[in-house]
Amino acid sequence: MTPKATPEQIDAYLALFANNPYNAMVAIKEHVQRRSAVTSESISAPSHSETAIITAQSLTKTYKLGRQRIQALHDVSFTIYDGEFVALTGASGSGKSTLLQLIGGLDKPTSGEIIVNDTNLNHLPDAKLSTFRNKTIGFIFQFFYLQPFLRLSKNIEVPSMFAHTKRSIRRLHVKELIERVGLAQQAPQLPKQLSGGQIQRAAIARALMNNPKILLADEPTGNLDSTNSRAIIELFKQIRAEFGMTIVLVTHNPEIAALADREIQLKDGTLI
Amino acid sequence: MIGFIDTLTLARAKLRSKKVLLSVTVVLASLVFGIIITGMIVVTGASRSANTYLQAALGGKYLVAVNPIIPDEILGYGSMTETPSDTLKAHLTDLQKQYIAEQEKLAKQYDVAFNSESIDPILKANPFGAKDAFGNVTQVINRDAPAYQMYVLELQNEWLKTASNSFTDLKKLAGVDGATTYYQNQRSSLGYANAMYLTNGKEDLTKIGQPLSTDYTSFIQNSAYTFTDQSLINRYVLPENAARQANKKAIPVVVTAQEATKLFSEQIGIPKEPSDAAGKIIWMKALQEKLNGLTYQACYRSPGEIALIQQTMQQNQTDTSMNSSLASMQSSIMYNLPTSTCAPVTIKKDSRTTAEKQADANLEAYQKAAGTYQPQITQLLTFQIVGIMPLGSQTDGKYNDIPSLITGLLGSQYQDGAFIPTQLYTQLSVTEQHKDILQYSTSVRGENVQKLVDAGITPAIISFPSAASAKKFINTNTCLTMDESSCKKPWTSQLYGPNYLLTDDISKKVGDIAKLVLPIALIVAAIIMSFTMARVIIDSRHETAVFRALGAKRIDIMRIYLIYSVMVAVLVAIFSFLIGTGGAVTIELLYGPEITDQAKVAYGVFDSLGKFSLIGVDGMLLGIVAAAILLVGILAVLPPLIRNVRRNPIRDMRDE
């Protein structure tokens, strides 16, 4: 298997060429070529390290809905390891989306702790949480949420805009990702010109834009037919093999969940 | 933090959403600002054009006519029923005695019979019969008594000791404000009482000594002329034509178009003044051409001659009603009334004895010594029109429509309607000038003022180099009114010629209106824009939440929406300027030609001036509006934006 390079390593590597964009592009190309050398064998035989990348300890989340208090999560503890592909399952309202949002730093638990990539998210101020989401997490939403008036390529570029990445580097990366998800032809198009499957692939490309360590997908196949759903999961697997990232996928579909390494099941806010 | 170009990219994408709402907002806000911009362009243009016209009209002279304020009693006026104090009564009685003694002495000297009873008393019974506490009719001052004039002279001497409005004072004070030239407009001593305008060349003796009309187009009919430095009315003086070359002996006169039409329209075949400005221009041109060089006449008769005519007319009337032999017994000298226009009275029969003739000669000598002699003079005066001026504004400062405003803006504000330009007048020979009867008079009110005139208490016209300096002088030292009674300053004043302060007044009024309208417009526009911005931001909550999930900081979201609102504001600004300019151009096309004609009529000269444009751009004003639009755009987006950014992104994702 090709040794995985962390985003930090890539950044450090690119920094060597900071003053020479041509050299930087050559370096990126080489990096991309190394990634392309992933074999089908390596996809079918996934492996992950024993390093914990997500640790949840006694997570509780309570919402106020009018005068009612709704307990979305209750005393949830688990560990997800670096490189793992985990499916979060459960019925509607079981708390799986809430858990995903806590992992992604979009929300904070009422009590308990969530440690992602050695960072306790409870203690991060808003601006640092934003940076955490931007650099560490890649989000894929059920409803895709592409900007309707931005071309596909620009939509994919959005996370790197917030990361203030150099334009030349961005463009190369966008090109690479767009080709990787098979949308090179559609790059100049607006989202409304694309099919559901194409939009979801674009959303995946966008999630990968900043080379995150963790990919969080909330019902990514919820709006797709079974063929497209399977194709998306295949894509996730390839990505995992290729980039070595951790994937947490929320689904209520057992067939999809079965394709993951492991399943974490929730019922009424607690782990089963 | 997100870079500027990326912010622009995301904000521009935002601009493509909510197109209908955005278009309505941009159009509505642009309309509000567009109307303001139209107003600004038109007012600036009109003000600049007015100034151009004014500059041409004024020739760099900002004129102020001033009148010194003189208390009524100093001029010999006062109440008909004023009861003097005992001290004053005693003093007046002394003056009366002194006067009688002087007259008696003179009468003796010239061997003329003298009756002290015939002298008008200085004190007389109250004409309304008012009684004092003891039931006696009170005594009041008889201001017509010759001895009273002695008292007036005493008062004048006293007043002059402290008076601070002499010509010297004026020069000192106006000099501080930069006055450059001083003119003294002098009313001619001619008037309806001694000079009759000859309608169709005929003299109606029955109307002698009566004003023919009292309106503002009757200066010629009442023989009320003012000697004026030609430079003050030069733009109305017409070039010399054949008619004027043929007659260079007449007294030159500049008259108002309205008065000239009233007197001569039938004679020269000029119709009434048309109401439309374009018609007025043609009318004025025809008037100038036909009136230039036209002559008319007036008959001057001295007060002595008039008295004789009136006496003779009365005598004739008595003669016809009585036995002629009886009537002829009444007087030893009989006169013939004039037999032709402006002919003198002639002696019909002189049956005086030598002794009577001697007595009459003595009386004449005595009257000359006493200053009461009235010579018998008759002179035919010929005047020639050398210039036409438009009648000044008669709107009394009420400007209800644009044409009257323009007329007020540029129209002449001369106090006297028939002028004799002094430079042209002095070119006449001494005889032709009729100086003895048209003598200059610097009188304030025509009587009892020689002493004041000698002390320099006279009206004057002052030329200032700018409207600002004239205004400063007017405000500091004068009351801008004709009403002396309410004025606490040394002079009353009036603008002389075009109203150059009106542009200033209008600018101020426009400024006041702008101060009121601009904030209202800004508030209205802010409400319209903030409504849309709030709507757009609320509708973008999911998008904001997604951006936050993808790593956007709060400041990034702020930047995107601020740039978005600036873009909207720039759109509003562009459309506002388009609407504003379009509005101004439309107004210019609709009203420009009419106002230009109107301005030319008001100004009185038709060929030398360009268009009265209603388009003028004041960069600073428009800059302020542009800045205001931007400010409104940013302010409108802030409240909903702050609310939105504070929200937890997950809340908005959960709402889906």
Side-chain angles (χ1 to χ4, degrees), chain A residues 130-143:
Chain A
S130 294
T131 311
F132 162 80
R133 288 193 294 263
N134 187 240
K135 306 261 183 191
T136 313
I137 307 287
F139 274 105
I140 298 157
F141 308 99
Q142 180 180 0
F143 298 103

Side-chain angles (χ1 to χ4, degrees), chain A residues 39-257:
Chain A
T39 60
S40 58
E41 190 189 338
S42 64
I43 298 172
S44 57
S47 65
H48 58 81
S49 70
E50 294 300 316
T51 316
I53 192 156
I54 301 164
T55 310
Q57 288 173 354
S58 308
L59 281 184
T60 300
K61 181 70 188 174
T62 313
Y63 294 119
K64 273 184 193 168
L65 195 69
R67 285 184 181 179
Q68 271 192 319
R69 293 177 75 83
I70 293 169
Q71 194 158 50
L73 291 175
H74 178 66
D75 195 21
V76 172
S77 301
F78 61 84
T79 303
I80 294 174
Y81 297 96
D82 192 10
E84 235 186 334
F85 182 176
V86 177
L88 273 179
T89 60
S92 184
S94 59
K96 52 189 190 300
S97 286
T98 305
L99 187 57
L100 194 76
Q101 284 150 8
L102 292 180
I103 296 168
L106 281 169
D107 208 355
K108 289 191 174 177
T110 313
S111 67
E113 290 199 328
I114 177 99
I115 296 152
V116 179
N117 199 24
D118 296 332
T119 308
N120 189 331
L121 299 189
N122 291 19
H123 304 138
L124 281 187
D126 189 78
K128 289 207 168 157
L129 262 181
S130 294
T131 311
F132 162 80
R133 288 193 294 263
N134 187 240
K135 306 261 183 191
T136 313
I137 307 287
F139 274 105
I140 298 157
F141 308 99
Q142 180 180 0
F143 298 103
F144 323 126
Y145 293 131
L146 292 188
Q147 226 296 339
F149 298 101
L150 278 183
R151 292 174 197 290
L152 199 64
S153 52
K154 280 283 168 202
N155 256 303
I156 293 170
E157 206 180 320
V158 168
S160 65
M161 292 180 181
F162 298 127
H164 215 47
T165 313
K166 271 193 173 181
R167 212 164 294 274
S168 51
I169 296 167
R170 263 194 232 173
R171 277 194 203 122
L172 276 176
H173 201 188
V174 166
K175 194 163 175 273
E176 177 202 347
L177 285 170
I178 256 179
E179 280 169 5
R180 183 69 194 79
V181 297
L183 291 172
Q185 297 287 313
Q186 287 77 17
Q189 291 180 349
L190 291 174
K192 65 179 175 188
Q193 294 165 295
L194 306 178
S195 71
Q198 284 173 325
I199 290 174
Q200 189 57 300
R201 275 185 279 147
I204 292 168
R206 181 177 67 182
L208 294 172
M209 185 63 201
N210 284 350
N211 296 315
K213 286 191 79 120
I214 301 162
L215 208 58
L216 301 180
D218 191 0
E219 302 269 12
T221 57
N223 283 344
L224 302 177
D225 58 30
S226 57
T227 320
N228 264 321
S229 297
R230 236 173 263 123
I232 289 294
I233 298 301
E234 276 309 306
L235 186 60
F236 277 171
K237 285 190 161 186
Q238 280 178 25
I239 288 165
R240 198 260 297 251
E242 195 176 322
F243 298 92
M245 55 183 57
T246 310
I247 298 174
V248 181
L249 179 142
V250 166
T251 182
H252 62 273
N253 185 340
E255 279 179 42
I256 299 289

Side-chain angles (χ1 to χ4, degrees), chain B residues 21-326:
Chain B
L21 183 66
L22 196 65
S23 306
V24 171
T25 305
V26 169
V27 168
L28 284 181
S30 303
L31 268 178
V32 172
F33 286 115
I35 291 167
I36 290 174
I37 291 170
T38 299
M40 281 176 172
I41 293 176
V42 169
V43 169
T44 309
S47 161
R48 282 186 188 163
S49 299
N51 272 329
T52 309
Y53 271 61
L54 272 174
Q55 290 302 324
L58 294 161
K61 285 179 183 166
Y62 295 83
L63 302 169
V64 180
V66 294
N67 248 326
I69 291 185
I70 305 165
D72 275 354
E73 54 178 20
I74 302 302
L75 293 166
Y77 299 126
S79 160
M80 277 172 69
T81 55
E82 184 189 336
T83 309
S85 66
D86 287 345
T87 326
L88 181 56
K89 214 183 264 181
H91 182 59
L92 292 175
T93 313
D94 281 349
L95 287 176
Q96 177 77 354
K97 281 178 188 160
Q98 195 186 324
Y99 180 77
I100 290 173
E102 279 168 13
Q103 294 300 314
E104 198 166 8
K105 194 180 160 197
L106 261 179
K108 263 188 190 161
Q109 191 184 332
Y110 287 96
D111 193 19
V112 174
F114 181 77
N115 177 11
S116 64
E117 297 293 309
S118 68
I119 305 287
D120 208 0
I122 200 163
L123 293 167
K124 61 178 183 184
N126 187 311
F128 302 107
K131 290 176 180 172
D132 62 14
F134 306 105
N136 302 319
V137 174
T138 54
Q139 282 195 308
V140 297
I141 300 172
N142 178 12
R143 296 177 207 277
D144 296 328
Y148 183 72
Q149 302 310 318
M150 293 165 75
Y151 178 61
V152 170
L153 283 180
E154 282 182 7
L155 290 177
Q156 288 180 354
N157 279 333
E158 202 54 38
W159 181 74
L160 282 172
K161 283 180 190 164
T162 53
S164 60
N165 48 7
S166 71
F167 197 61
T168 320
D169 295 323
L170 183 71
K171 278 187 155 177
K172 208 191 281 173
L173 288 170
V176 171
D177 295 320
T180 49
T181 322
Y182 301 84
Y183 305 92
Q184 280 185 294
N185 259 13
Q186 294 163 325
R187 184 66 69 90
S188 159
S189 56
L190 221 55
Y192 64 79
N194 53 23
M196 178 181 273
Y197 166 72
L198 301 180
T199 311
N200 300 322
K202 283 179 189 152
E203 188 181 20
D204 183 355
L205 289 177
T206 59
K207 289 188 177 156
I208 211 159
Q210 291 169 18
L212 282 173
S213 179
T214 51
D215 68 13
Y216 56 85
T217 55
S218 301
F219 289 95
I220 286 176
Q221 278 175 296
N222 290 328
S223 295
Y225 294 96
T226 305
F227 288 100
T228 299
D229 191 282
Q230 200 169 320
S231 66
L232 299 180
I233 50 170
N234 220 15
R235 66 190 172 109
Y236 304 117
V237 175
L238 299 165
E240 204 171 67
N241 61 2
R244 274 164 62 183
Q245 273 165 358
N247 182 0
K248 289 196 165 187
K249 293 181 176 179
I251 300 158
V253 172
V254 173
V255 65
T256 64
Q258 284 75 3
E259 180 163 6
T261 324
K262 182 178 149 190
L263 292 179
F264 310 116
S265 62
E266 277 183 34
Q267 190 183 333
I268 60 172
I270 288 279
K272 275 191 174 175
E273 183 178 352
S275 56
D276 66 300
K280 275 184 189 179
I281 290 182
I282 299 166
W283 176 77
M284 270 297 271
K285 280 186 174 174
L287 212 61
Q288 285 179 340
E289 199 184 315
K290 294 198 175 182
L291 284 172
N292 190 10
L294 187 92
T295 57
Y296 62 87
Q297 290 180 313
C299 179
Y300 171 81
R301 291 182 189 276
S302 67
E305 181 83 353
I306 290 169
L308 207 57
I309 288 175
Q310 284 170 336
Q311 182 194 319
T312 308
M313 283 167 77
Q314 207 174 3
Q315 204 171 42
N316 289 352
Q317 211 171 4
T318 321
D319 283 353
T320 47
S321 59
M322 294 172 95
N323 184 312
S324 62
S325 59
L326 250 171

